[in-house]
Amino acid sequence: MINPMGGIDFPCIATELHLTETHLLMNAAEFFQQSAGQWRSLRTTHHLAFRRTEKGESEISVEALAADHPKVIEICQLHQIDPTTAIGGAFVQWAGTMAWDKNEDENHTGSTVFALVPDDGAHRRGKMLRERGYAEIVPVVGQFHMDDQDGLILVTEYETMSSVERFWFASPSLRLRTSTVKRFGGFSTATFCTEFRVDPDTQLSDAEATPSSEFYSLLGW
Amino acid sequence: MINPMGGIDFPCIATELHLTETHLLMNAAEFFQQSAGQWRSLRTTHHLAFRRTEKGESEISVEALAADHPKVIEICQLHQIDPTTAIGGAFVQWAGTMAWDKNEDENHTGSTVFALVPDDGAHRRGKMLRERGYAEIVPVVGQFHMDDQDGLILVTEYETMSSVERFWFASPSLRLRTSTVKRFGGFSTATFCTEFRVDPDTQLSDAEATPSSEFYSLLGW
């Protein structure tokens, strides 16, 4: 695998993951340990009914929590689940903006804590418990599982909507996320986030980069 | 699975796929048979060095080709591969625009044909052969495999760049695609396409829809 200098300095381990079936499989706690740190997120939402695109940026901080962290224990107790069955969790903080039609700007800042409670011995599927979801008062439970490429799938059902999300690492410093949301049974949005690790030692210089020609798939478009 | 009326009329089979391991697995030819038809694509490219977003729209037409189609045989011969090992292919046409910085508009119209030559008995991994890639004179070969959620992964190596793409169906009428591109070993772009089937019987009315509140992940941001 040739990995010469150039472009952006993202460590590169990615391509092999997709074609090798014998790579080490991560459990969900390891996935969040790998997520720990500071990230910058570029987010695009496709509103399917309007065929329009909304974009935003945010800064994200992720702290992995051990299985015996008081917050993890507290969330398990909130959900009436034995805390000794948890394998860990995470504390996430974010700050960012989403613009609708570029006329209205809104700041979104917040934090949340969640806990992972696997259903299986490999700790690759189970429940993700959270204090409460966005605009929800009741505690929220999602179902997670790790797929065969170590992507994390998270399915969350709310009263009138449901979401399917997939998170994966293209490299240790580049995390991607897609989500589709259904409201009342119909797809309403599809979202894509590109999250890159903020490294204080590496300042990206726009001046050094020039627009690269557009990439087209082998499939053409 | 509740699937009431409302939102956009996309048939819904999606959520279960992600949590069920015993669903029927598609082979690559079936994936392209399911792709056949007219699609409208919303595309967003995140340019990582610039932290900027470029968007575009295109119309796509996909025709699945049988294994014994003359075009499939011709492409196999071009690559000096026994045509009887092919399981089919596709003829793809597209027309669309990509805007850079909204100042320059460029029309992109084209068509391509490719053939699928599996390496395995299940027809779930192998080579995707194409006449030639974008801005390439030599024929192009990509490696494909179907993952455990019936997503199609396509890895293509060019001289100075490589791409990893994943295509999947959220429903029979909603196909999603992500791709990451490395140039000279560094990630340069991450792209997301939302492709929905164009159904002449169903006209989406923007007037009927109102902006829905933003969805936030169980993870918060």
Side-chain angles (χ1 to χ4, degrees):
Chain A
M1 188 67 196
I2 300 165
N3 184 9
M5 301 288 286
I8 304 168
D9 186 25
F10 289 127
C12 298
I13 58 158
T15 309
E16 294 84 350
L17 282 182
H18 292 272
L19 288 184
T20 310
E21 290 192 61
T22 54
H23 65 271
L24 279 177
L25 293 174
M26 273 195 284
N27 69 42
E30 288 162 347
F31 188 92
F32 282 100
Q33 284 155 16
Q34 190 167 333
S35 301
Q38 305 295 318
W39 299 82
R40 186 162 186 87
S41 177
L42 271 183
R43 169 178 174 151
T44 299
T45 298
H46 292 170
H47 294 267
L48 302 177
F50 312 104
R51 297 181 183 178
R52 73 195 287 182
T53 298
E54 185 185 17
K55 62 183 181 174
E57 277 192 66
S58 56
E59 302 279 350
I60 300 160
S61 164
V62 180
E63 182 189 344
L65 303 180
D68 61 355
H69 190 282
K71 263 292 189 187
V72 171
I73 294 171
E74 185 185 322
I75 289 169
C76 289
Q77 288 168 340
L78 177 70
H79 288 267
Q80 301 184 299
I81 283 175
D82 177 3
T84 64
T85 60
I87 57 167
F91 173 48
V92 180
Q93 296 170 280
W94 62 92
T97 60
M98 281 295 281
W100 179 274
D101 215 2
K102 291 177 187 165
N103 292 320
E104 296 170 35
D105 275 23
E106 206 179 328
N107 286 308
H108 294 289
T109 304
S111 67
T112 192
V113 178
F114 56 85
L116 297 163
V117 178
D119 292 338
D120 66 340
H123 298 178
R124 286 176 53 85
R125 60 174 59 237
K127 286 182 278 292
M128 186 176 290
L129 311 178
R130 192 179 143 187
E131 309 130 303
R132 58 189 182 82
Y134 175 72
E136 303 282 339
I137 295 172
V138 291
V140 175
V141 181
Q143 298 287 328
F144 72 85
H145 90 267
M146 305 290 299
D147 69 19
D148 63 357
Q149 293 159 92
D150 277 349
L152 175 83
I153 314 283
L154 178 60
V155 179
T156 315
E157 305 274 352
Y158 298 86
E159 214 172 294
T160 59
M161 59 181 265
S162 62
S163 68
V164 178
E165 299 170 271
R166 181 172 189 261
F167 304 77
W168 72 102
F169 288 93
S171 83
S173 297
L174 181 60
R175 200 175 90 145
L176 302 172
R177 169 157 65 118
T178 61
S179 61
T180 50
V181 174
K182 279 190 204 169
R183 293 176 194 271
F184 302 104
F187 285 102
S188 63
T189 57
T191 298
F192 181 49
C193 296
T194 303
E195 299 172 343
F196 33 96
R197 207 178 272 284
V198 178
D199 177 356
D201 299 332
T202 305
Q203 281 298 323
L204 296 175
S205 167
D206 284 10
E208 287 174 8
T210 53
S212 52
S213 60
E214 190 58 38
F215 163 75
Y216 290 90
S217 171
L218 190 61
L219 277 61
W221 71 96
Chain B
M1 187 67 197
I2 301 164
N3 183 10
M5 301 288 286
I8 304 168
D9 185 25
F10 289 126
C12 299
I13 60 158
T15 309
E16 295 83 350
L17 283 182
H18 292 271
L19 287 184
T20 310
E21 290 190 61
T22 54
H23 65 270
L24 279 177
L25 293 174
M26 273 195 284
N27 69 42
E30 288 163 346
F31 188 92
F32 282 100
Q33 285 155 17
Q34 191 168 333
S35 301
Q38 305 294 318
W39 299 82
R40 186 163 186 86
S41 177
L42 271 183
R43 169 179 173 150
T44 300
T45 298
H46 292 169
H47 294 268
L48 302 178
F50 313 104
R51 296 179 184 179
R52 73 195 289 181
T53 297
E54 185 186 17
K55 63 183 181 173
E57 276 192 67
S58 56
E59 302 279 350
I60 300 160
S61 164
V62 180
E63 182 189 343
L65 303 180
D68 61 356
H69 191 283
K71 262 292 188 189
V72 171
I73 293 170
E74 185 186 322
I75 289 170
C76 289
Q77 287 168 340
L78 178 70
H79 288 268
Q80 301 185 298
I81 283 175
D82 177 5
T84 64
T85 59
I87 57 167
F91 174 48
V92 180
Q93 296 171 280
W94 62 92
T97 59
M98 280 295 283
W100 179 275
D101 213 2
K102 290 176 186 164
N103 293 320
E104 296 169 34
D105 274 23
E106 205 179 329
N107 286 310
H108 294 288
T109 304
S111 67
T112 192
V113 178
F114 56 85
L116 297 163
V117 178
D119 293 336
D120 67 339
H123 298 179
R124 287 176 52 84
R125 59 174 59 235
K127 285 182 278 293
M128 185 175 290
L129 311 178
R130 192 180 143 188
E131 310 129 303
R132 57 190 184 83
Y134 175 71
E136 302 281 341
I137 296 173
V138 291
V140 175
V141 181
Q143 299 287 329
F144 73 85
H145 89 268
M146 306 289 299
D147 70 19
D148 63 357
Q149 293 158 93
D150 277 349
L152 175 82
I153 314 283
L154 178 60
V155 179
T156 315
E157 304 274 352
Y158 298 86
E159 215 173 294
T160 59
M161 59 180 263
S162 62
S163 68
V164 179
E165 298 171 272
R166 181 172 189 261
F167 304 76
W168 73 102
F169 288 93
S171 84
S173 297
L174 181 60
R175 200 174 90 145
L176 303 172
R177 169 157 66 117
T178 61
S179 61
T180 51
V181 174
K182 279 190 205 172
R183 294 177 194 271
F184 301 104
F187 285 103
S188 64
T189 56
T191 298
F192 181 50
C193 296
T194 303
E195 299 172 343
F196 34 95
R197 207 178 273 283
V198 179
D199 177 357
D201 298 333
T202 305
Q203 282 298 325
L204 297 176
S205 168
D206 285 10
E208 288 174 9
T210 52
S212 52
S213 60
E214 190 57 38
F215 163 74
Y216 290 88
S217 171
L218 190 61
L219 278 60
W221 71 97

